[in-house]
Amino acid sequence: MNYGYFDDANREYVITNPRTPTKWINYIGTLQFGGFVDHTGGALICKQDPTFNRITKYIQQMPSSDFKGETLYLRLPSPSGRRAGDDGEYLIFSPFFVPTLDAYDKYECRIGLGYTCIISEMHGVRTEVTIFVPTGATVEVRDIKVINVSDEPIEVDAIPVLEYTHPDALKQFTNADWIPQTMQSKAVQDGEYTVLIQYPFMYRDIKVNYFTSNLPASSFETDRRKFLGDNEYGTWANPVSLQNKELSNTQAFRGDNIAALLHHLGTLQPGETKRLITQLGQEHTLDDAKQSIETWRNPKSIDGALDAMKKYWDAYLNVLQVETPDAAFNSTVNIHNPHQCHTTRQWSRYLSYYQLGLGARGIGIRDSSQDILGVIANDPHGSKDFLKQLLSFQKQNGSALHQFNPLTLEGNEGDSLERGDRPHYYSDDHLWGVLCVTAYIKETGDTAFLDEKVHFYEKDPVEGASVLDHVKRALSFTRNDTGTHGLPLLGFADWNDTINLAKGAESLFTSHLYGRALNEFIDLLDHLGKTDEADEWREAHAEMKSRVEEHAWDGEWYFMYFDHDGTPVGSHKNQYGQIHLNGQTWAVLSGFASPERARQAMDSVYKHLNTKHGIKLSTPGFNGFDPNYGGVTTYPPGAKENGGIFLHPNPWAMIAETMLGDGDRAYEYYSQINPAAKNDIIDLYEIEPYVYAQNILADEHPQFGLGRNSWLSGTASWCYQAGTQWILGIRAEYDGLRIDPCIPSKWDGFKATRVYRGVKYNITVNNPKHVCKGVENVLVNGRQVTGSLIRADEGLREVNVEVTLG
Ligand code: GLC
């Protein structure tokens, strides 16, 4: 069974059956103000931080049928013919399906770029609700159109409802006396409109949450107990208070605060539409919100904001649009993948249906650095600012903290503090920034960035150091932080959080990442004409390469670690985890593997790790807890890092294959995890087919194929890079745009448009001989050029490039 379809023309995925196996979500707004909306209208909204400034109460673990954060009720006179107000029974239903679970004639949830639109038809009423945060605003807007699609006049009441949480989201669940004693709501009359305000107790600041609409409300409720009624034996599916003509107008001075406004929309004639707009926001005082409230009561502002949002996405996506023979590839690369990259850039791994946005996790240095790599072309300036922020969590010694809270800007070492008997740093965190710095300069040509000052986490020296210095310190830290084989020490972990070997263990992943970062940096120094310095780092690369080649080859693949006592991990001699994906792919990405070993290592990946649902991280899975290895052994075999299909490293295999010239295999790896490919197996896969997930259970697990942890995963950024920069081969370099595709041999070619440094490149790639790779001929504006690096002539705004492979 499938639960929806892709509507590429409207850049939407359309859910047509609300009973999805898990809640499917979409993001609105940004971390400045926003959150996610599920496909049944529930929403988790926060301002600047989901841990310390959360607004709506959304409990992911509660059943899908439950009210979560927000909903909308419609109320009609009962089918028995009694009219509203006769104190008879009302027919009450939610056009979002949840929480009343009514039968529907039509249900559609359109997952759009920056908005979700839920359309339903129930009991003769069509409802269209567009939920979004206008760009730059700090307010969630719900634009609700209620249409009578029956042949009879219908009298309709509309009651939008939301439930507040204490802003300290974790505290909400730690004390059921103190928290409710601090929650207070009031109603303020603003001309003909009602504004419900709620004062959450805040340590840092006094703020006010507000909820209002563009139509007069005849009554309101702020106390959940009163709304549900019957001492809360009334339910969200059937709130007792909605059987009364009016709500109780209670201003709650404690308790579980909600905001509900009852609007009598009146009698709608057949075909007639009523438009109700609600807004939920937060400001320091209600006065501060006045202007904004007025703006968003106006339907014209809403239409304008939706239009502006569409234009924002036009510009964002127009940076790269492709037309290949594969419709699913096009849909993913043109729409959904860049949308997901935009989302991971905002939310890191902090807030999703799976990442609960509680506690210290915040913004991850490693994770967000990789996210930046997926958005640099679309948003170079925003990327630069964010990158500077990440670099400010680097320590003077070159290593970096693991994560920070976006509101308090406090950094910490993350889970590496979990075990007293393990080192308290990750060996990879600081190196990812090097890839970002070089990628940013390749995109923009802005070498002056290297001189900009960024402070270290210690804020000593106060003025900080140049970006260039940050890069050198990062590389030097790893160069010096080595173990018995001269390979980088593992620290608490490398990219794989869950392999936590005893102190003294060495990581091949960190060694390879260091190699890749070195090569990027060497290219930059060469570009800057600093050849002598480049030579020094070339030496460092050669030094590490020889250590890897000398110590880390197992015969058919590379090891992944050396344990503290020198035992290889990721060897055919091990009982579990004999081969690890990252050990092979990154040996290619680093430039350390010789061509023969590179090919053999990648063939071993195909032979031992590939499955029809994606490539496994390692095999076989550990079977039972073993503190010597750490977190990886807490999962059953086939789950997550323990031999599961961990999707984030899959694109590294695609990239490695393109480096080796095998476009067929790279494309096979790409297509088998393209979310669009999961649309027809949702009963197995369960999660959103319009974004990548973090993990899928692998073949050692009885639920092989089940996906989890959708949306916030490095899979997004890396699949985007793999698909666009390596398979299509369109890559920014210091001196121009490289077009060096490595495509499936069956393709006749493809077309693409890429905006690079202000110039639009219209690219046509022809593949008459059906090869994977090899640029034979290049015409730029009809003129033949040598090589695959394209430079636009000074002053041109648009360039036609025709590439023939052969
Ligand atoms: C999670 C973490 C990421 C880590 C990966 C592998 O996705 O967010 O930082 O690299 O797991 O352990």
Side-chain angles (χ1 to χ4, degrees):
M1 167 131 75
N2 65 37
Y3 292 79
Y5 64 93
F6 289 89
D7 178 355
D8 285 358
N10 287 308
R11 300 192 301 209
E12 291 172 334
Y13 181 87
V14 188
I15 303 168
T16 50
N17 177 353
R19 289 187 166 86
T20 50
T22 65
K23 281 279 159 84
W24 290 2
I25 68 166
N26 192 16
Y27 285 80
I28 58 171
T30 63
L31 183 56
Q32 283 313 300
F33 188 96
F36 67 78
V37 180
D38 73 39
H39 73 285
T40 58
L44 197 164
I45 303 295
C46 68
K47 188 172 180 181
Q48 295 171 326
D49 181 38
T51 294
F52 295 123
N53 194 7
R54 189 177 293 210
I55 299 173
T56 59
K57 188 195 281 175
Y58 188 106
I59 308 175
Q60 284 90 333
Q61 292 102 331
M62 299 309 279
S64 290
S65 54
D66 260 30
F67 173 92
K68 288 181 180 154
E70 293 185 57
T71 195
L72 168 68
Y73 294 94
L74 295 183
R75 190 168 83 159
L76 312 184
S78 80
S80 67
R82 280 195 274 185
R83 313 299 298 170
D86 288 350
D87 283 342
E89 285 255 311
Y90 290 97
L91 174 62
I92 296 155
F93 64 95
S94 173
F96 297 153
F97 182 64
V98 171
T100 59
L101 312 180
D102 277 55
Y104 53 87
D105 298 320
K106 180 188 177 82
Y107 161 89
E108 233 177 53
C109 174
R110 296 190 157 259
I111 305 290
L113 303 174
Y115 66 90
T116 281
C117 180
I118 301 176
I119 299 166
S120 68
E121 290 179 15
M122 299 177 184
H123 308 291
V125 178
R126 177 180 169 95
T127 318
E128 301 174 2
V129 184
T130 306
I131 306 169
F132 72 110
V133 174
T135 309
T138 51
V139 55
E140 184 220 43
V141 165
R142 294 190 169 211
D143 180 17
I144 303 161
K145 291 176 183 147
V146 180
I147 305 146
N148 179 355
V149 288
S150 78
D151 311 329
E152 303 279 319
I154 306 183
E155 196 180 332
V156 186
D157 293 341
I159 309 100
V161 187
L162 67 94
E163 184 174 12
Y164 288 109
T165 172
H166 189 275
D168 187 328
L170 202 51
K171 281 246 157 67
Q172 172 70 46
F173 301 107
T174 57
N175 191 317
D177 173 42
W178 175 69
I179 289 294
Q181 303 278 14
T182 67
M183 302 285 277
Q184 299 163 52
S185 290
K186 274 189 203 153
V188 177
Q189 213 49 40
D190 174 18
E192 54 182 330
Y193 309 108
T194 306
V195 185
L196 298 179
I197 58 178
Q198 202 259 345
Y199 293 95
F201 169 81
M202 299 279 286
Y203 307 102
R204 293 178 175 80
D205 239 336
I206 301 295
K207 291 189 172 131
V208 46
N209 294 321
Y210 63 88
F211 183 67
T212 187
S213 66
N214 70 329
L215 297 178
S218 64
S219 55
F220 65 85
E221 186 57 78
T222 63
D223 187 343
R224 188 181 79 183
R225 214 176 145 86
K226 290 253 164 64
F227 184 77
L228 295 177
D230 194 16
N231 289 335
E232 290 212 358
Y233 291 91
T235 64
W236 288 111
N238 192 9
V240 174
S241 70
L242 290 185
Q243 287 305 336
N244 303 325
K245 184 175 180 197
E246 296 299 340
L247 299 171
S248 82
N249 290 340
T250 299
Q251 307 188 69
F253 285 97
R254 62 171 302 285
D256 293 294
N257 285 199
I258 64 166
L261 291 170
L262 192 151
H263 308 84
H264 299 297
L265 300 182
T267 301
L268 275 65
Q269 297 305 318
E272 192 184 342
T273 302
K274 274 271 155 86
R275 192 167 177 184
L276 168 70
I277 300 163
T278 65
Q279 42 177 307
L280 165 67
Q282 183 192 80
E283 289 300 338
H284 282 282
T285 65
L286 189 54
D287 266 356
D288 294 340
K290 268 220 151 104
Q291 189 60 50
S292 168
I293 288 177
E294 215 177 291
T295 303
W296 303 117
R297 276 200 187 120
N298 185 344
K300 283 207 182 100
S301 310
I302 302 292
D303 296 341
L306 284 167
D307 197 46
M309 203 156 71
K310 190 175 169 301
K311 294 210 172 86
Y312 168 85
W313 280 102
D314 285 343
Y316 190 90
L317 298 178
N318 279 344
V319 169
L320 178 67
Q321 287 290 292
V322 307
E323 204 185 307
T324 76
D326 176 349
F329 185 98
N330 299 343
S331 163
T332 297
V333 163
N334 290 335
I335 306 165
H336 302 285
N337 194 182
H339 180 215
Q340 187 180 2
C341 289
H342 187 275
T343 308
T344 57
R345 151 67 190 89
Q346 281 298 322
W347 298 95
S348 200
R349 308 294 170 268
Y350 204 8
L351 183 70
S352 74
Y353 202 68
Y354 304 92
Q355 307 292 345
L356 303 188
L358 298 168
R361 182 153 196 177
I363 306 296
I365 304 300
R366 163 207 292 155
D367 295 323
S368 288
S369 300
Q370 293 174 76
D371 296 343
I372 285 179
L373 297 172
V375 299
I376 283 183
N378 311 76
D379 179 19
H381 304 297
S383 298
K384 176 174 127 172
D385 292 343
F386 190 41
L387 174 54
K388 283 171 78 174
Q389 186 174 44
L390 298 185
L391 289 176
S392 73
F393 290 90
Q394 188 178 11
K395 300 205 257 179
Q396 284 169 314
N397 72 4
S399 72
L401 295 184
H402 193 58
Q403 56 201 25
F404 68 93
N405 180 283
L407 197 62
T408 64
L409 299 182
E410 272 166 38
N412 63 67
E413 289 85 358
D415 290 345
S416 72
L417 300 177
E418 242 171 25
R419 287 181 64 173
D421 61 344
R422 294 289 189 268
H424 292 160
Y425 72 100
Y426 293 81
S427 55
D428 65 319
D429 276 325
H430 55 287
L431 290 170
W432 298 100
V434 181
L435 304 189
C436 296
V437 171
T438 53
Y440 167 75
I441 296 173
K442 286 181 187 175
E443 182 64 36
T444 59
D446 176 16
T447 48
F449 177 52
L450 293 169
D451 300 324
E452 289 190 31
K453 288 266 162 47
V454 177
H455 66 72
F456 295 105
Y457 189 62
E458 295 93 341
K459 299 219 167 64
D460 178 26
V462 188
E463 73 278 12
S466 67
V467 168
L468 184 67
D469 195 17
H470 278 262
V471 168
K472 286 189 202 165
R473 288 193 197 208
L475 294 170
S476 300
F477 178 86
T478 300
R479 191 176 190 180
N480 299 323
D481 192 44
T482 52
T484 39
H485 299 89
L487 298 167
L489 290 168
L490 172 65
F492 178 72
D494 55 30
W495 171 91
N496 185 336
D497 283 334
T498 65
I499 296 200
N500 318 120
L501 305 170
K503 193 166 177 204
E506 293 164 292
S507 159
L508 267 304
F509 182 89
T510 302
S511 133
H512 298 322
L513 174 60
Y514 166 70
R516 175 93 203 150
L518 277 175
N519 275 344
E520 294 288 351
F521 189 51
I522 291 163
D523 284 352
L524 174 63
L525 291 171
D526 283 337
H527 169 70
L528 297 173
K530 298 185 177 182
T531 319
D532 290 349
E533 223 181 307
D535 285 344
E536 277 173 43
W537 292 104
R538 263 189 273 272
E539 225 171 83
H541 190 272
E543 176 186 87
M544 190 57 75
K545 177 178 173 151
S546 72
R547 292 173 192 162
V548 169
E549 287 297 72
E550 186 185 341
H551 300 297
W553 184 247
D554 187 49
E556 289 179 33
W557 58 78
Y558 286 96
F559 302 144
M560 189 74 255
Y561 305 91
F562 282 102
D563 210 339
H564 63 108
D565 57 1
T567 314
V569 175
S571 157
H572 70 283
K573 293 190 187 137
N574 299 136
Q575 188 182 1
Y576 303 114
Q578 293 176 343
I579 170 170
H580 290 246
L581 177 57
N582 291 340
Q584 321 318 316
T585 54
W586 275 88
V588 181
L589 268 62
S590 63
F592 290 159
S594 67
E596 303 73 45
R597 283 185 178 179
R599 189 60 273 159
Q600 192 170 6
M602 290 308 296
D603 285 345
S604 294
V605 164
Y606 194 69
K607 184 168 161 198
H608 299 289
L609 296 174
N610 196 36
T611 78
K612 63 179 177 182
H613 295 304
I615 313 170
K616 298 186 273 191
L617 188 60
S618 58
T619 206
F622 288 91
N623 202 353
F625 183 60
D626 181 346
N628 294 320
Y629 290 95
V632 64
T633 63
T634 60
Y635 305 115
K640 299 268 286 185
E641 285 97 333
N642 190 26
I645 299 165
F646 212 94
L647 288 159
H648 181 160
N650 274 241
W652 293 333
M654 300 166 202
I655 296 172
E657 286 295 354
T658 64
M659 287 176 165
L660 302 180
D662 194 339
D664 289 319
R665 196 172 277 172
Y667 179 69
E668 181 182 347
Y669 287 157
Y670 187 93
S671 300
Q672 72 192 8
I673 67 159
N674 188 347
K678 313 289 185 194
N679 201 37
D680 295 328
I681 55 162
I682 295 296
D683 284 326
L684 172 70
Y685 181 63
E686 297 200 349
I687 53 178
E688 298 95 323
Y690 43 89
V691 287
Y692 289 99
Q694 184 215 56
N695 68 83
I696 297 175
L697 293 172
D699 47 6
E700 284 183 276
H701 195 286
Q703 285 172 283
F704 178 37
L706 178 88
R708 276 299 180 271
N709 208 350
S710 51
W711 279 99
L712 301 185
S713 162
T715 318
S717 166
W718 283 103
C719 278
Y720 193 60
Q721 294 174 69
T724 60
Q725 299 178 20
W726 297 95
I727 293 178
L728 301 184
I730 305 170
R731 292 193 288 281
E733 290 193 5
Y734 296 113
D735 296 314
L737 197 61
R738 173 80 60 195
I739 304 178
D740 185 15
C742 184
I743 55 177
S745 51
K746 67 178 182 200
W747 281 9
D748 291 328
F750 66 89
K751 283 187 191 320
T753 55
R754 169 73 154 89
V755 179
Y756 171 64
R757 299 190 190 175
V759 180
K760 185 171 174 206
Y761 292 78
N762 302 311
I763 302 162
T764 305
V765 173
N766 304 312
N767 189 20
K769 295 184 190 153
H770 288 272
V771 296
C772 289
K773 194 178 167 111
V775 170
E776 197 174 66
N777 191 52
V778 181
L779 298 175
V780 178
N781 282 343
R783 212 163 25 86
Q784 191 151 358
V785 301
T786 333
S788 56
L789 190 69
I790 319 296
R791 287 166 240 243
D793 285 341
E794 200 73 36
L796 288 184
R797 307 314 294 158
E798 198 157 335
V799 175
N800 296 323
V801 184
E802 195 171 337
V803 175
T804 305
L805 305 181

